């Protein structure tokens, strides 16, 4: 930096004002070292060399071209990062115009430009920041760090994740992506073809305290042991690390809280840094508090099938009131509550009335269409002819009812026509079966989607990686070939389980509720 046209104050705006006689330097970057060797220039400001070192770092970061590796192939330190070790504190506050007085105390100052942003970040490094940088610089994996630090893997991964979010580290993008052969239609936003999170819908037990009329599986499957569950979680961790995705474990069943080792399995999932959620039934408050003591779930989902009379016909006498009381418990415990309805011909007319009742009681209310599978085959599906109008009414109600959520992929047919933003379906855009989620049953069987028979492997004798990349799993991910020419294929694709229930060939025929011309 020997350009004589650059004045000292352009690089050191604060430091230069504190110098009685600014020196003439051939290389402006040498000012901090020059000051350390000439302390007579700043006797009243002993912290000035450190202050100048931070200003130099800021200038260097400003000159750093936005040449981040895109995509990164491994987690790396932000190439623009400057780490400045100083012997005085409060210098960042001084640079930002604060009035703090520097004191003699060692700190590390981080100066960097976050990826895809123009603003320069200046911050005092925390111990966690320095640990994240050390682990990345020395290629120490989370498992090794957890053992050495005597903490859970989740603690280490949270530290690394925070560093990535802040921009100190750059992580590889998710490799959970639609294949290049997947139809694009009129859409090209990468967000519609990749998933940042992978969800394991984990049916840890078939035991259930209800016997609903539309239950899709009452088969007798052996409940998994704690050791089997731990091996599953280890395999899931390795899979998600390998594919650079965050992980959510959604515990369900049956009723997952009836598993004798539920709390142990829940803690094991949390210890690996996984997000957690529950699809279950009402339980006593103390059971929920046990869970919160480990980690608050992202949500707790329960089900209602319409207003009280119809719901209790489907799920059992007294269930409706138990759900309302349980929603109050979830609210008191500040747990995000979700209510799911299975849409049938008999309850289609009750959905919006139920939504009004739930508006200030549940955080989210939505529906799945009935999959006529298992005992659900005895119920009548909603009329496909009436479905488009029902969705329009639901969308209109959602404009004023904050708990209503647009989940069904066919909402996007209306939204496409109206020029509105698309909404996500099962855990993401379009059908997520064998894409951004799979279902694991108590006996180790893995299904592309739990709502239809779709076995793709068994995690007790195969790795999730091998199962996920199998030809059969890819077949389910591709969905129906009948949708390949659809303009909004990436954000729709219908529902394979509904098609299966209607006796369709799910790989060649389209969802019978689709109203687009053939």
């Amino acid at each position: 930096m020997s350009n004589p046209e650059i004045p000292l104050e352009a690089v050191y705006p604060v430091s230069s004002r504190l110098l009685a006689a600014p020196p003439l330097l051939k290389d402006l970057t040498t000012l901090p070292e020059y000051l350390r060797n000439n302390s007579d220039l700043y006797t009243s400001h002993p912290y000035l060399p450190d202050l100048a070192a931070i200003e130099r770092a800021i200038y260097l970061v400003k000159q750093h071209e936005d040449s981040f590796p895109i995509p990164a192939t491994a987690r790396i330190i932000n190439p623009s990062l400057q780490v400045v070790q100083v012997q005085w504190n409060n210098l960042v506050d001084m640079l930002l115009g604060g009035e703090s007085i520097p004191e003699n105390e060692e700190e590390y100052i981080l100066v960097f430009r976050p990826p895809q942003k123009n603003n320069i970040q200046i911050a005092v490094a925390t111990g966690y920041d320095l640990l994240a940088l050390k682990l990345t610089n020395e290629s120490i994996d989370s498992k090794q760090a957890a053992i050495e630090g005597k903490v859970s893997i989740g603690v280490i991964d949270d530290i690394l994740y925070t560093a990535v979010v802040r921009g100190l580290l750059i992580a590889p993008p998710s490799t959970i992506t639609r294949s290049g052969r997947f139809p694009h239609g009129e859409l090209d936003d990468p967000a519609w073809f990749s998933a940042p999170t992978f969800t394991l819908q984990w049916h840890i037990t078939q035991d259930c305290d209800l016997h609903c009329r539309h239950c899709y599986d009452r088969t007798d499957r052996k409940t998994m042991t704690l050791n089997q569950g731990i091996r599953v979680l280890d395999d899931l961790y390795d899979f998600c690390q390998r594919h650079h995705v965050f992980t959510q474990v959604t515990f369900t069943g049956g009723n997952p809280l009836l598993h004798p080792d539920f709390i142990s399995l829940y803690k094991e999932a949390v210890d690996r840094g996984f997000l957690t959620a529950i699809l279950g039934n009402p339980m006593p408050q103390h059971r929920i508090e046990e869970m919160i003591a480990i980690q608050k779930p992202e949500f707790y989902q329960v089900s209602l099938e319409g207003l009280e009379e119809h719901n209790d016909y489907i799920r059992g006498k007294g269930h409706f009131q138990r759900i309302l009381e349980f929603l109050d418990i979830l609210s008191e415990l500040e747990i995000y509550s979700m209510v799911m309805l299975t849409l049938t011909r008999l309850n289609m007319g009750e959905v919006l009335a139920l939504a009004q009742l739930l508006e200030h009681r549940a955080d989210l209310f939505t529906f799945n269409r009935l999959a006529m599978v298992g005992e659900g085959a005895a119920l009548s599906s909603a009329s496909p002819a009436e479905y488009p109008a029902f969705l329009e009414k639901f969308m209109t109600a959602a404009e004023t009812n904050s708990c209503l959520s647009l989940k069904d992929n066919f909402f996007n047919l209306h939204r496409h026509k109206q020029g509105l933003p698309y909404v996500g379906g099962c855990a993401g855009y379009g059908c997520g079966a064998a894409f951004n989620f799979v279902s694991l049953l108590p006996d180790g069987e893995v299904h592309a989607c739990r709502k239809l028979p779709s076995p793709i492997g068994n995690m007790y004798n195969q790795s999730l990686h091998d199962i996920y990349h199998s030809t059969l799993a890819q077949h389910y991910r591709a969905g129906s070939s009948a949708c390949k020419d659809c303009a909004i294929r990436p954000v729709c694709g219908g529902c394979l389980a509904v098609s299966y229930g209607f006796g369709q060939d799910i790989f060649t025929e389209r969802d019978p509720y689709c109203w687009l011309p053939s």
Side-chain angles (χ1 to χ4, degrees), residues 411-480:
F411 280 114
N412 285 330
L413 291 181
H414 281 313
R415 298 179 75 81
H416 178 71
K417 184 177 180 180
Q418 298 172 30
L420 297 172
Y422 300 117
V423 294
C426 297
Y429 290 106
C431 177
F435 172 54
N436 56 2
F437 75 84
V438 295
S439 294
L440 173 62
L441 306 191
D443 57 3
E445 204 169 83
V446 179
H447 285 245
C449 174
R450 186 66 181 97
K451 294 191 295 179
L452 79 158
S454 52
I456 55 176
N458 192 299
M459 281 189 72
Y460 291 170
N461 52 45
Q462 296 171 275
S463 71
L464 180 56
H465 181 271
D466 289 344
I467 293 170
Y468 184 85
H469 292 285
S470 68
T471 301
L472 189 54
Q474 292 172 22
H475 207 29
Y476 281 103
R477 272 199 290 284
S480 175

Side-chain angles (χ1 to χ4, degrees), residues 224-295:
M224 72 173 55
T225 67
L226 178 58
N227 285 337
Q228 286 173 325
I230 290 173
R231 289 199 297 273
V232 163
L233 291 169
D234 285 340
D235 189 25
L236 176 64
Y237 179 86
D238 291 341
F239 174 86
C240 291
Q241 287 288 304
R242 188 170 182 174
H243 291 82
H244 310 298
V245 286
F246 303 114
T247 313
Q248 177 171 302
V249 177
T250 300
F251 289 90
T252 185
N255 184 350
L257 275 73
L258 296 182
H259 190 289
D261 295 312
F262 168 74
I263 284 295
S264 295
L265 288 169
Y266 190 87
K267 184 177 186 304
E268 291 285 349
V270 171
D271 284 348
R272 286 158 181 77
F274 298 158
L275 303 174
T276 52
I278 305 294
L279 308 182
N281 301 332
M283 294 295 286
Q285 181 166 336
H286 75 273
R287 294 296 310 278
I288 311 304
E289 290 172 341
E290 277 184 307
M291 187 167 52
I292 292 177
I294 300 169
Q295 175 175 283

Side-chain angles (χ1 to χ4, degrees), residues 149-221:
K150 297 180 180 179
V151 295
S152 71
I153 298 173
V155 169
I156 301 298
D157 281 345
D158 282 347
I159 290 170
L160 293 169
Y161 168 71
T162 300
V164 170
V165 170
R166 290 182 59 202
L168 288 175
L169 303 180
I170 299 174
S174 166
T175 58
I176 298 294
T177 57
R178 304 283 189 188
S179 76
R181 297 187 302 272
F182 193 83
H184 282 218
E186 298 176 1
L187 310 181
D188 56 9
D189 188 328
W192 294 315
F193 299 92
S194 66
T197 301
F198 184 83
T199 298
L200 180 71
Q201 189 184 80
W202 199 7
H203 298 255
I204 59 176
T205 180
Q206 294 288 87
D207 292 343
C208 190
D209 45 332
L210 301 176
H211 190 145
C212 304
R213 292 178 182 269
H214 59 357
C215 184
Y216 42 74
D217 187 1
R218 297 294 297 184
T219 57
D220 184 18
R221 295 177 185 267

Side-chain angles (χ1 to χ4, degrees), residues 10-310:
V11 181
Y12 304 98
V14 178
S15 301
S16 62
R17 289 201 302 269
L18 299 176
L19 285 168
L24 296 176
L25 300 173
K26 291 183 178 180
D27 185 350
L28 295 183
T29 62
T30 63
L31 178 63
E33 290 72 29
Y34 178 84
L35 292 175
R36 289 192 179 96
N37 294 325
N38 295 274
S39 57
D40 57 306
L41 296 175
Y42 56 91
T43 52
S44 59
H45 306 295
Y47 50 81
L48 196 55
D50 284 347
L51 187 67
I54 299 173
E55 290 193 293
R56 175 175 61 187
I58 295 171
Y59 185 83
L60 292 175
V61 172
K62 286 180 179 178
Q63 309 312 306
H64 190 280
E65 294 183 3
D66 190 6
S67 57
F68 298 106
I70 300 175
T73 56
R75 189 177 63 243
I76 61 172
I77 294 172
N78 184 326
S80 75
L81 177 67
Q82 297 280 324
V83 181
V84 184
Q85 184 179 4
V86 297
Q87 302 304 315
W88 294 81
N89 65 15
N90 295 327
L91 297 180
V92 172
D93 183 65
M94 174 179 286
L95 289 171
L96 297 177
E99 298 180 358
S100 299
I101 298 174
E103 297 178 348
N104 198 209
E105 181 183 356
E106 183 180 73
E107 288 184 335
Y108 288 86
I109 308 302
L110 307 176
V111 184
F112 60 100
R113 185 197 305 273
Q116 285 81 55
K117 294 183 180 178
N118 292 321
N119 59 311
I120 304 295
Q121 298 289 311
I122 312 166
V124 178
T126 67
Y128 288 162
D129 293 334
L130 297 176
L131 177 59
L133 294 172
K134 175 182 173 64
L135 295 178
T136 303
N137 185 55
E138 299 180 13
S139 300
I140 301 172
D141 68 25
S142 296
K143 291 181 180 179
Q144 180 185 344
I147 292 170
E148 293 179 1
K150 297 180 180 179
V151 295
S152 71
I153 298 173
V155 169
I156 301 298
D157 281 345
D158 282 347
I159 290 170
L160 293 169
Y161 168 71
T162 300
V164 170
V165 170
R166 290 182 59 202
L168 288 175
L169 303 180
I170 299 174
S174 166
T175 58
I176 298 294
T177 57
R178 304 283 189 188
S179 76
R181 297 187 302 272
F182 193 83
H184 282 218
E186 298 176 1
L187 310 181
D188 56 9
D189 188 328
W192 294 315
F193 299 92
S194 66
T197 301
F198 184 83
T199 298
L200 180 71
Q201 189 184 80
W202 199 7
H203 298 255
I204 59 176
T205 180
Q206 294 288 87
D207 292 343
C208 190
D209 45 332
L210 301 176
H211 190 145
C212 304
R213 292 178 182 269
H214 59 357
C215 184
Y216 42 74
D217 187 1
R218 297 294 297 184
T219 57
D220 184 18
R221 295 177 185 267
K222 186 176 181 181
T223 295
M224 72 173 55
T225 67
L226 178 58
N227 285 337
Q228 286 173 325
I230 290 173
R231 289 199 297 273
V232 163
L233 291 169
D234 285 340
D235 189 25
L236 176 64
Y237 179 86
D238 291 341
F239 174 86
C240 291
Q241 287 288 304
R242 188 170 182 174
H243 291 82
H244 310 298
V245 286
F246 303 114
T247 313
Q248 177 171 302
V249 177
T250 300
F251 289 90
T252 185
N255 184 350
L257 275 73
L258 296 182
H259 190 289
D261 295 312
F262 168 74
I263 284 295
S264 295
L265 288 169
Y266 190 87
K267 184 177 186 304
E268 291 285 349
V270 171
D271 284 348
R272 286 158 181 77
F274 298 158
L275 303 174
T276 52
I278 305 294
L279 308 182
N281 301 332
M283 294 295 286
Q285 181 166 336
H286 75 273
R287 294 296 310 278
I288 311 304
E289 290 172 341
E290 277 184 307
M291 187 167 52
I292 292 177
I294 300 169
Q295 175 175 283
K296 185 183 293 187
E298 296 297 299
F299 62 84
Y300 196 120
Q301 178 179 299
V302 292
S303 296
L304 284 174
E305 307 306 336
L307 299 175
E308 187 166 9
E309 181 179 355
H310 181 72

Side-chain angles (χ1 to χ4, degrees), residues 336-454:
Y336 192 88
S337 62
M338 295 172 56
V339 176
M340 179 64 68
L341 175 141
T342 299
L343 189 71
T344 67
R345 185 165 300 182
L346 292 179
N347 67 9
M348 196 171 180
E350 297 186 3
V351 172
L352 296 183
L354 179 60
Q356 288 184 317
L357 187 149
L358 293 173
E359 183 175 5
H360 301 296
R361 209 153 193 170
D363 293 302
L364 182 148
F365 171 53
T366 191
F367 67 88
N368 280 322
R369 285 174 285 146
L370 173 70
M372 293 185 288
V373 177
E375 295 181 358
L379 301 182
S380 297
S381 291
S383 167
E386 298 174 8
Y387 195 58
F390 167 77
L391 293 183
E392 286 190 317
K393 291 178 182 177
F394 195 97
M395 286 174 60
T396 299
E399 293 175 2
T400 55
N401 187 328
S402 60
C403 79
L404 284 179
S405 175
L406 311 183
K407 180 177 184 286
D408 192 291
N409 287 326
F410 286 140
F411 280 114
N412 285 330
L413 291 181
H414 281 313
R415 298 179 75 81
H416 178 71
K417 184 177 180 180
Q418 298 172 30
L420 297 172
Y422 300 117
V423 294
C426 297
Y429 290 106
C431 177
F435 172 54
N436 56 2
F437 75 84
V438 295
S439 294
L440 173 62
L441 306 191
D443 57 3
E445 204 169 83
V446 179
H447 285 245
C449 174
R450 186 66 181 97
K451 294 191 295 179
L452 79 158
S454 52

